[in-house]
Amino acid sequence: MRKTFILLLLFSSYFIKSQDFNNYQPLKCQGPIPEDFRKTASEKFESNKTKIKTKEKGYIKKAKETFILESTFYNDLILQSGVILFNDPITNYINKVGDVVLNDFLELRKKIRFYTMKSQVVNAYSSDNGIIFITTGLISQLENEAQLAYIISHEVVHYAKKHQISGYIEKVKMEKGTDNYKKMSNTDKLMLSLKYSKNDEYEADKLGLTDYYKLTNYNYKAVDGVYDVLQFSDLPFDIIPFDKNILNPEYYKINDEYYKIEKKEIDYKEDKDDSESTHPNVKKRREAVNSILNEFNNDGRQFYIVSEDEFKIVRKISRYEVLRQYLLEADYASAIYNSFLLLKEEPESKYIKTAIAFSLYACCEYKCHSTISSVITSYTKVMGEQSELNKMLTKIKKDELLCIATNYIWKTYLANNSDPFLKEIAYGVIKELPASKMSFDDFSLKPPDTNKLKESDTIKVEDDSKKNDSKYSKIKKNKEKGKDKSALGFTLVEVINNQEFATAFKQATESYKEEDEYNKSLSKKAKRKLAKRGASLGVNKIIILDPFYFKYDERKKDKVLCLESEDSQFKLSNLTKESAKKVGITTQVISSKKFDEDEVDLFNDMSFFKEWINERFVHEDLDLISSSFTTINGLAGKYQTNYLYFNGVVNLKLKRHNLAGIILSTVYFPVILPYTIYFCASPEYKTYYYGLLLDLKTGKVKFSVIDNFNYISSNDFLKSIIYDSFNQIKSLKKSK
Amino acid sequence: MEQAKKIFVIILLLSINFNSYSQVSGYLGKKFIISYTPEITYSLTNPNYKGNCVFDVKLHPFAINMKHNGTVEYVVARNLSLGVDFMYWKTNFYLKNNFSYHNINDPTQSGTFNGKFGQQGIVKVMGFGAYIKIFKRSLAPLGAYTKIKTMLINYSPTATDTSFSYMNKSELAYIQPSKKSYQGIFISATWGKHRIIKNLIVLDMGFEIGTCFCGGMKYLISKNSYSGIASEYLKTESGARIFGGMLINFNIGIGLLAF
């Protein structure tokens, strides 16, 4: 095991050095899969349960059991969600810093496991069973290694002092009204609960500093910086005015009016009202810590103990990973702004330019479907320099954005024409030009007379001050705008003379006409008939991704039935696999509950598929190319199928409401009394099933089923619907 | 009656002519069901085959009338199944009116019927029909369904006068219509539910409302006002009994999901 670990460290240092930021590859887990990911939640619960002291009061013992069950179950959901990394360069680095922090606490060190969470959010979180999650968002914002060491020290205190479980027990005591809580009002109880939570934070800050951080040789000045990171965690890792020229075509300039904004001042208020918050405000925490720090001698203390170079590379990787997360989460303005920041260091990075190209493509798709506001946060809510970009992406006209995006994407593609992802985006965006009634002839093949290309030639931006215009003057102005397409005609000059571009444009125009005619010809009746008949996809091989099962009982205090859910998840996984086999579909089931130690590749595949699915559902009805196209395409090749099926069941037992009707009926017809008793005593059952087959290459939903049944046992219905789904997926269309 | 037969055949042919080019999964690929379904009616005032009914001189609280149905069913579309049904039912019927008859054992003997309650009329009903089941919100053959059934029935009423003794006191006098059996058409609608256990056993529960064209109207006019020859009287009374007995039924069936 030790040898494996050493080899792993060597390998990870090689990976760090070998990470090519020009062609950035998403982070992957490496080496043997840790036990945390292999054991089921039920197994973990059984082993953690034994730690509860038998002498404790009945309700406290029960509360502890409930807490352990729920926290184990939810932690397991996080571990299997596909966003957690182990043995990767970032986690390995965190572990090294963790080793330094806990150098004098070897027993404690053995109990603590660090994992990186792929998320743009700035956060660190400690679980009651010794797992500490640190996000890539947090690493990307840190200034030095010592800051990470302080954050680790803080989280270690939460674990060592069992803050989570003791907070939960206090909450249970409050609810029961025992001890000192007998005469308290609910508001007082809530405020007290928040106070306990804040006290935990103060304690973690203080003891993290005195019990752990102080024993290392890390510099005390870093501690204050951690509170800066917390205070400005909503901002990107740097604040530089956005360079508008990045997006401008050579012969066209996006009107500055689009960007013009009264920038929202960065909120420096660190003394926010925290009375209803679980954490004290930054000012109070900073003051509390500084009062201790003043007594310490900082001489000879360092910002780096493990390695400054490694910290910088790890932080850079985190920043790239954050960019990737923005793309997956469809936060395209943040993705473009972060790309702009990263370009400062790597001006020729293909990965960053592709990220911008993809963001523009996605914005165009959303703009064309008039749903841009769902992916671009309102500029009034964005602080700092990025708000300008948010305004431009919100206000710019669809046609203008489409032309600018097409130019940028095709320029990037033509410079890297062997990249299949860029090709996909390039051919994807060009389809929108004919759909927006723009033809090849609308664009100039030659550059304009540069003297004429002035601000006046660009499309005017609607000025908010003109809102007072009369209805008729607005109509006239809109008419004027419609005519003013001359400037847009020069947006594609850089790419329009390329043969491939011209051919792609003409093909897109042709296929748009055909599609349009087909859609018109397909009558409503024919569509209904098609839906009634069922799908006939002729698919022989699929990937089944982690069937999901969730059981909930509204009548119980612990409403989520954790253990039963996990057990049913196993059964659903087997049922799905057997049904597919019966129909004759070859399957590769990737279940989060069944990993062997050496199946790290399968684990990574599951993570990438889950990321891909999450991104797919952010887009809802829009069929967009995925930002992880390259990775998913590779996986489709690996599993030799283009289809991924994922399904799940939500099983609810609900309280019955409106019993008055049946009780009244019983008064008039006493003969139905036994049924009335049964009806009132039993819950209302609801079982929902969903299953979707997605095309890995296009992201399109090829087949979907959503159904519900209201029976006590619904196994036969589940079997029927799962089998039918696979039958439709497998069968070929028969002629009448 | 000839017209009734024609209608029956047309309905049968129409039912069979459903196109089945849709993706029919059945239940795990199985589409063929053989089942036995007893149809039960609570014998409140009409006698069952033992002659008992709930509100008799003596109270029989569990008196039920049971019809035996054997069906063969096949799933033809995602929400449709077609089936054929064979029914056998034996029950008693009342002979309340006094009327003249000839003993069939000795046509020279004649008498006046003044039969006792319940024991005297027996009708055997056999039926052969076809049905269509439309499954709502689930895939055939599972879940809630509406069944439309049409059936050609053949019934043979007989009666015995227990108060008459002929030659030997132990012998009874039989009264039979001149024609031994009659035909009628039965049409019904059922609202029921299928559940499947162990991928093999089909449980069927339902509530049926039907009407039988074999004496329904006469049922209304026959009560204590009939006068005529014995065979006509039996035909009318038995028809009325069939009409009443098949009006409302509860089905609890069990079937085998064969293949």
Side-chain angles (χ1 to χ4, degrees):
Chain A
M1 193 67 194
R2 182 174 282 182
K3 277 181 188 171
T4 322
F5 186 69
I6 293 165
L7 277 171
L8 211 67
L9 283 180
L10 287 171
F11 183 77
S12 69
S13 0
Y14 165 75
F15 182 85
I16 286 176
K17 282 170 191 163
S18 66
Q19 178 63 278
D20 172 11
F21 290 102
N22 188 41
N23 292 298
Y24 175 75
Q25 295 298 314
L27 285 174
K28 281 182 182 178
C29 301
Q30 290 161 21
I33 300 180
E35 208 173 54
D36 288 323
F37 296 83
R38 286 184 280 122
K39 272 178 138 183
T40 62
S42 319
E43 287 168 343
K44 287 176 202 165
F45 169 65
E46 286 304 323
S47 109
N48 291 338
K49 205 170 69 170
T50 53
K51 291 170 193 166
I52 302 171
K53 289 173 192 166
T54 47
K55 286 176 187 173
E56 277 177 307
K57 278 183 189 173
Y59 79 91
I60 292 182
K61 196 178 164 191
K62 177 83 181 67
K64 281 189 175 176
E65 236 180 74
T66 308
F67 174 80
I68 290 171
L69 175 67
E70 287 179 2
S71 66
T72 308
F73 188 76
Y74 291 121
N75 276 331
D76 214 51
L77 282 179
I78 296 171
L79 289 169
Q80 310 294 357
S81 63
V83 300
I84 304 299
L85 293 164
F86 56 83
N87 297 335
D88 63 292
I90 301 178
T91 311
N92 290 337
Y93 177 71
I94 295 170
N95 269 296
K96 287 179 200 171
V97 179
D99 288 341
V100 175
V101 172
L102 296 170
N103 194 31
D104 298 328
F105 304 90
L106 295 179
E107 279 307 306
L108 184 60
R109 178 67 188 95
K110 279 179 197 165
K111 290 178 190 169
I112 288 175
R113 288 91 70 205
F114 295 101
Y115 298 118
T116 305
M117 186 184 273
K118 290 183 275 182
S119 167
Q120 71 276 32
V121 178
V122 176
N123 200 10
Y125 160 79
S126 158
S127 79
D128 66 300
N129 57 4
I131 296 176
I132 294 175
F133 299 108
I134 295 176
T135 63
T136 45
L138 175 61
I139 304 283
S140 73
Q141 300 261 3
L142 294 179
E143 291 170 308
N144 50 55
E145 185 183 300
Q147 289 181 341
L148 177 61
Y150 178 63
I151 288 162
I152 289 173
S153 307
H154 173 98
E155 294 303 328
V156 167
V157 176
H158 279 314
Y159 168 68
K161 292 285 174 186
K162 301 283 173 207
H163 281 158
Q164 278 201 9
I165 195 162
S166 51
Y168 183 82
I169 300 295
E170 285 306 316
K171 204 176 143 197
V172 171
K173 281 181 184 174
M174 281 179 198
E175 281 169 8
K176 273 188 94 73
T178 53
D179 297 346
N180 300 324
Y181 305 116
K182 275 178 190 166
K183 290 177 183 173
M184 271 189 188
S185 69
N186 284 340
T187 318
D188 290 343
K189 283 178 186 173
L190 176 71
M191 296 315 281
L192 194 64
S193 159
L194 294 171
K195 192 183 165 193
Y196 280 138
S197 174
K198 285 189 198 88
N199 287 344
D200 287 347
E201 288 304 318
Y202 282 129
E203 190 178 37
D205 282 350
K206 187 186 164 191
L207 297 184
L209 187 61
T210 56
D211 292 7
Y212 300 100
Y213 193 82
K214 192 183 169 188
L215 303 183
T216 66
N217 202 29
Y218 281 115
N219 198 303
Y220 290 127
K221 282 182 185 169
V223 175
D224 192 59
V226 171
Y227 294 100
D228 290 334
V229 171
L230 287 180
Q231 192 179 349
F232 304 113
S233 60
D234 291 342
L235 293 170
F237 65 87
D238 206 345
I239 39 170
I240 305 170
F242 181 69
D243 181 0
K244 300 172 183 85
N245 289 324
I246 286 179
L247 304 178
N248 282 341
E250 196 174 338
Y251 303 105
Y252 187 87
K253 184 176 171 244
I254 301 171
N255 197 317
D256 280 342
E257 289 292 319
Y258 283 132
Y259 291 100
K260 206 172 180 182
I261 187 174
E262 255 186 57
K263 276 183 205 165
K264 198 177 174 189
E265 285 300 312
I266 294 169
D267 187 2
Y268 293 102
K269 275 194 270 175
E270 53 178 2
D271 196 15
K272 278 181 187 167
D273 176 21
D274 59 4
S275 57
E276 290 179 14
S277 169
T278 55
H279 284 50
N281 67 41
V282 174
K283 190 186 176 194
K284 286 177 189 167
R285 290 176 73 177
R286 200 194 292 264
E287 282 172 359
V289 167
N290 282 338
S291 67
I292 304 167
L293 280 173
N294 291 336
E295 298 163 15
F296 296 162
N297 183 3
N298 202 23
D299 291 348
R301 288 186 159 257
Q302 299 159 10
F303 285 104
Y304 298 95
I305 292 176
V306 175
S307 161
E308 184 174 352
D309 288 346
E310 195 172 344
F311 170 79
K312 284 182 178 165
I313 292 175
V314 161
R315 187 176 64 179
K316 193 170 174 181
I317 294 172
S318 297
R319 287 174 178 176
Y320 274 72
E321 199 55 43
V322 164
L323 169 59
R324 209 173 73 81
Q325 292 303 316
Y326 279 130
L327 295 177
L328 289 167
E329 297 282 331
D331 185 352
Y332 300 117
S334 300
I336 296 174
Y337 188 76
N338 274 266
S339 299
F340 154 70
L341 294 178
L342 289 169
L343 274 176
K344 297 276 168 202
E345 205 175 333
E346 299 276 347
E348 296 306 319
S349 168
K350 188 183 97 181
Y351 180 81
I352 301 171
K353 286 182 179 175
T354 307
I356 297 173
F358 178 78
S359 301
L360 289 172
Y361 155 76
C363 285
C364 285
E365 292 288 342
Y366 275 94
K367 205 75 165 173
C368 290
H369 290 85
S370 309
T371 49
I372 191 76
S373 57
S374 63
V375 287
I376 304 293
T377 313
S378 166
Y379 57 91
T380 55
K381 292 176 187 167
V382 179
M383 281 194 299
E385 304 293 339
Q386 193 195 305
S387 55
E388 285 183 339
L389 183 62
N390 284 58
K391 190 192 169 192
M392 185 277 281
L393 289 170
T394 311
K395 293 286 177 187
I396 194 168
K397 296 285 175 289
K398 181 188 81 177
D399 290 356
E400 194 175 0
L401 180 65
L402 197 52
C403 294
I404 289 158
T406 306
N407 177 67
Y408 186 93
I409 293 165
W410 271 85
K411 251 185 351 186
T412 316
Y413 165 58
L414 294 174
N416 305 277
N417 62 1
S418 60
D419 188 312
F421 180 38
L422 274 170
K423 186 176 182 180
E424 198 73 17
I425 303 170
Y427 280 79
V429 77
I430 212 165
K431 280 181 195 166
E432 293 298 340
L433 291 172
S436 299
K437 310 294 173 210
M438 282 187 263
S439 69
F440 191 81
D441 297 334
D442 290 340
F443 296 94
S444 169
L445 300 174
K446 292 174 189 172
D449 180 352
T450 46
N451 296 331
K452 283 185 183 175
L453 187 71
K454 299 288 179 196
E455 194 80 353
S456 58
D457 251 339
T458 63
I459 291 178
K460 301 283 187 300
V461 184
E462 193 178 333
D463 189 349
D464 288 350
S465 65
K466 287 175 186 168
K467 278 178 184 169
N468 295 330
D469 285 358
S470 72
K471 180 171 83 176
Y472 309 103
S473 62
K474 279 177 185 167
I475 291 169
K476 279 175 193 167
K477 275 172 192 165
N478 285 339
K479 201 178 171 186
E480 290 296 307
K481 275 184 209 166
K483 286 177 185 173
D484 189 10
K485 280 199 172 179
S486 57
L488 270 187
F490 296 106
T491 48
L492 301 181
V493 173
E494 290 166 88
V495 292
I496 202 160
N497 291 306
N498 179 280
Q499 188 58 42
E500 188 179 353
F501 178 86
T503 313
F505 199 148
K506 281 166 191 169
Q507 276 174 356
T509 310
E510 285 304 310
S511 56
Y512 172 72
K513 276 180 196 166
E514 281 166 19
E515 255 176 54
D516 206 31
E517 275 165 23
Y518 173 75
N519 286 334
K520 277 175 193 166
S521 69
L522 202 63
S523 68
K524 277 184 184 174
K525 197 179 169 187
K527 280 179 183 170
R528 268 208 304 274
K529 209 170 178 179
L530 201 70
K532 197 177 173 185
R533 194 180 62 196
S536 314
L537 303 175
V539 173
N540 293 316
K541 191 172 182 185
I542 57 171
I543 301 159
I544 296 173
L545 183 68
D546 205 16
F548 174 77
Y549 208 111
F550 179 77
K551 281 192 164 189
Y552 178 90
D553 192 341
E554 195 189 15
R555 302 166 309 156
K556 292 190 176 176
K557 199 181 168 196
D558 307 325
K559 296 185 187 330
V560 178
L561 309 175
C562 305
L563 298 174
E564 291 90 332
S565 296
E566 190 174 73
D567 187 45
S568 300
Q569 195 168 342
F570 279 116
K571 286 177 185 161
L572 179 66
S573 185
N574 288 334
L575 179 63
T576 309
K577 197 176 172 181
E578 280 167 22
S579 298
K581 194 179 168 187
K582 213 167 241 179
V583 173
I585 295 179
T586 312
T587 55
Q588 167 73 53
V589 181
I590 305 178
S591 169
S592 62
K593 302 285 175 190
K594 282 178 187 170
F595 286 113
D596 290 331
E597 198 175 6
D598 57 352
E599 288 185 318
V600 70
D601 286 340
L602 199 63
F603 185 89
N604 284 325
D605 296 348
M606 180 194 76
S607 302
F608 287 129
F609 281 133
K610 284 191 172 179
E611 274 182 354
W612 178 77
I613 282 178
N614 288 339
E615 184 191 7
R616 176 64 193 80
F617 289 111
V618 169
H619 303 317
E620 295 178 359
D621 293 341
L622 270 182
D623 289 325
L624 243 70
I625 299 160
S626 166
S627 68
S628 45
F629 175 86
T630 313
T631 313
I632 294 301
N633 229 13
L635 290 176
K638 180 182 169 182
Y639 290 102
Q640 294 175 333
T641 178
N642 284 341
Y643 299 98
L644 182 129
Y645 185 77
F646 86 108
N647 58 347
V649 175
V650 177
N651 181 267
L652 309 173
K653 284 182 192 172
L654 305 169
K655 281 179 194 166
R656 285 197 189 275
H657 301 286
N658 303 327
L659 295 171
I662 192 158
I663 291 169
L664 205 65
S665 308
T666 315
V667 172
Y668 283 101
F669 306 104
V671 71
I672 64 166
L673 183 67
Y675 176 73
T676 307
I677 294 168
Y678 163 77
F679 185 83
C680 295
S682 62
E684 193 181 342
Y685 294 92
K686 280 191 186 294
T687 303
Y688 296 88
Y689 175 82
Y690 64 85
L692 286 107
L693 184 80
L694 296 162
D695 188 324
L696 290 170
K697 290 205 167 165
T698 61
K700 283 187 180 171
V701 178
K702 301 298 278 187
F703 170 81
S704 70
V705 56
I706 296 167
D707 215 333
N708 68 84
F709 338 100
N710 304 333
Y711 302 107
I712 300 174
S713 162
S714 45
N715 277 348
D716 49 351
F717 284 93
L718 282 178
K719 281 180 188 175
S720 169
I721 204 157
I722 293 171
Y723 180 89
D724 178 65
S725 305
F726 288 132
N727 192 38
Q728 290 188 60
I729 290 167
K730 164 85 180 170
S731 58
L732 280 167
K733 209 169 273 182
K734 291 176 194 170
S735 55
K736 194 177 173 181
Chain B
M1 195 47 66
E2 283 303 310
Q3 202 176 356
K5 277 183 188 170
K6 276 180 192 168
I7 293 167
F8 172 74
V9 171
I10 289 165
I11 292 171
L12 195 71
L13 288 174
L14 280 174
S15 318
I16 291 166
N17 194 30
F18 273 99
N19 64 63
S20 58
Y21 66 97
S22 56
Q23 305 304 328
V24 188
S25 300
Y27 183 80
L28 306 185
K30 293 179 179 180
K31 299 171 195 167
F32 188 78
I33 304 166
I34 303 169
S35 63
Y36 164 69
T37 310
E39 289 181 352
I40 298 161
T41 317
Y42 205 40
S43 302
L44 287 171
T45 54
N46 282 314
N48 62 11
Y49 81 102
K50 285 181 180 171
N52 298 328
C53 63
V54 178
F55 300 112
D56 200 345
V57 180
K58 186 187 168 191
L59 195 70
H60 294 94
F62 300 108
I64 53 167
N65 247 299
M66 195 184 279
K67 302 175 200 72
H68 305 276
N69 281 58
T71 60
V72 174
E73 187 175 329
Y74 192 73
V75 178
V76 293
R78 295 178 63 72
N79 66 337
L80 286 180
S81 68
L82 293 179
V84 289
D85 188 344
F86 175 77
M87 183 190 78
Y88 175 75
W89 179 33
K90 186 180 170 187
T91 189
N92 274 25
F93 61 97
Y94 299 144
L95 294 170
K96 287 179 183 171
N97 297 4
N98 294 339
F99 61 94
S100 303
Y101 65 88
H102 293 278
N103 185 349
I104 58 165
N105 297 322
D106 182 357
T108 59
Q109 292 289 324
S110 64
T112 303
F113 181 83
N114 59 351
K116 286 182 182 174
F117 182 74
Q119 292 283 336
Q120 294 75 21
I122 293 171
V123 60
K124 285 178 189 173
V125 188
M126 285 203 279
F128 181 76
Y131 62 81
I132 175 172
K133 273 183 185 170
I134 303 156
F135 290 82
K136 290 171 281 181
R137 297 187 62 249
S138 61
L139 296 157
L142 187 65
Y145 65 80
T146 302
K147 179 167 93 171
I148 307 294
K149 181 164 85 174
T150 174
M151 184 178 260
L152 181 66
I153 58 169
N154 186 308
Y155 59 104
S156 321
T158 58
T160 310
D161 188 351
T162 52
S163 63
F164 182 83
S165 66
Y166 167 70
M167 301 289 280
N168 185 329
K169 291 221 171 196
S170 64
E171 278 187 47
L172 302 174
Y174 295 97
I175 309 161
Q176 279 193 333
S178 56
K179 196 178 169 188
K180 283 189 178 181
S181 65
Y182 303 96
Q183 280 79 42
I185 292 281
F186 173 67
I187 293 171
S188 73
T190 306
W191 293 271
K193 192 191 285 179
H194 271 183
R195 295 301 300 264
I196 296 169
I197 303 165
K198 300 275 177 197
N199 306 339
L200 194 69
I201 310 292
V202 182
L203 285 184
D204 184 2
M205 292 150 280
F207 168 75
E208 183 182 45
I209 293 178
T211 185
C212 187
F213 299 103
C214 58
M217 289 306 288
K218 286 175 187 172
Y219 178 71
L220 301 173
I221 58 167
S222 67
K223 292 283 179 187
N224 303 317
S225 62
Y226 184 79
S227 62
I229 57 170
S231 59
E232 275 301 305
Y233 179 71
L234 288 182
K235 183 189 166 189
T236 308
E237 282 297 329
S238 60
R241 176 73 189 98
I242 292 166
F243 176 84
M246 294 180 83
L247 194 64
I248 294 172
N249 291 294
F250 294 95
N251 311 334
I252 300 173
I254 187 160
L256 184 73
L257 194 56
F259 54 84

